[in-house]
Amino acid sequence: KKLTALRAASESELAHHRLLQQARVADLSIAVEAAARRRSALSSENEDAAANLHLRSQEGVRLTQELADARQDVQRYVAEVKSAWQRSQEAPLAELLSLMEDEEEAMAMEVEIDEVQNACRQLQRHCERTHRGLEQKEAECERWRARGVALRSQKHQEEEEEEEEEEE
């Protein structure tokens, strides 16, 4: 009788532990499924961020090229302005007019000098606009560069957090 009672008690306790184990297994299965979904979502976010970073990087390359082109344009305009200024300084208007024998030639020369001076002023204005545009592009390029660094830093931090979660 004692043996039968002892057997019944141990079978009852064993059944109770089996139920507890099944509940734990079910909880762990749910946790594993949730972790897999989270990992999938983070992986998708990571791929999106990498694609976005690649696009931004290409945009940065394009902006850098535009900046280099603009700088070359500015240097060319500056050289043109300096050249025109030197030409206008080398032959002052009064001296040119006194050397002319014909009044029509003097008028034509005066018109040409006015045109050169206007061209110089236009080149100076264009140079100023280009300088402003160049400064804006440099600032924009710097913002994109900072954004890329921040994205890389965030991606690296997320990867470290994932590794820590996996180790736990």
Side-chain angles (χ1 to χ4, degrees):
K1 277 186 173 181
K2 236 180 175 183
L3 187 57
T4 307
L6 192 55
R7 248 189 214 160
S10 66
E11 285 179 13
S12 172
E13 188 175 334
L14 184 59
H16 174 70
H17 284 293
R18 280 188 184 143
L19 285 175
L20 287 177
Q21 183 181 9
Q22 288 173 353
R24 286 184 186 148
V25 167
D27 288 344
L28 288 175
S29 294
I30 291 171
V32 166
E33 287 176 18
R37 283 192 302 271
R38 173 86 173 125
R39 183 190 62 185
S40 177
L42 288 175
S43 177
S44 177
E45 285 180 28
N46 190 19
E47 290 170 1
D48 291 345
N52 194 11
L53 177 62
H54 180 69
L55 289 174
R56 300 298 184 211
S57 177
Q58 288 176 337
E59 179 73 7
V61 168
R62 187 184 63 77
L63 288 173
T64 301
Q65 182 60 44
E66 283 182 21
L67 178 65
D69 293 344
R71 281 185 177 156
Q72 287 178 347
D73 288 345
V74 167
Q75 289 174 348
R76 185 170 37 89
Y77 296 140
V78 166
E80 288 178 22
V81 167
K82 284 181 181 178
S83 174
W85 180 258
Q86 286 174 349
R87 285 193 312 266
S88 71
Q89 295 300 311
E90 290 170 359
L93 180 61
E95 185 180 324
L96 287 175
L97 293 177
S98 68
L99 295 175
M100 302 240 172
E101 295 177 12
D102 191 61
E103 190 175 315
E104 288 179 10
E105 288 179 340
M107 299 268 292
M109 182 58 81
E110 191 174 335
V111 168
E112 187 177 334
I113 289 172
D114 285 340
E115 289 173 358
V116 168
Q117 288 174 339
N118 285 334
C120 284
R121 284 190 290 274
Q122 288 176 347
L123 284 172
Q124 286 174 332
R125 286 191 298 269
H126 184 71
C127 186
E128 290 170 2
R129 283 192 305 269
T130 305
H131 272 292
R132 283 193 301 271
L134 180 61
E135 290 170 357
Q136 291 171 351
K137 289 295 183 180
E138 284 177 333
E140 184 178 348
C141 188
E142 194 56 40
R143 286 192 301 271
W144 280 113
R145 189 175 292 118
R147 185 179 285 172
V149 168
L151 282 173
R152 275 188 243 118
S153 175
Q154 181 183 6
K155 178 183 172 187
H156 182 67
Q157 186 179 16
E158 288 175 357
E159 290 174 354
E160 288 180 354
E161 290 174 2
E162 272 186 29
E163 290 175 5
E164 290 176 6
E165 288 178 6
E166 290 175 4
E167 290 176 4
E168 292 177 0

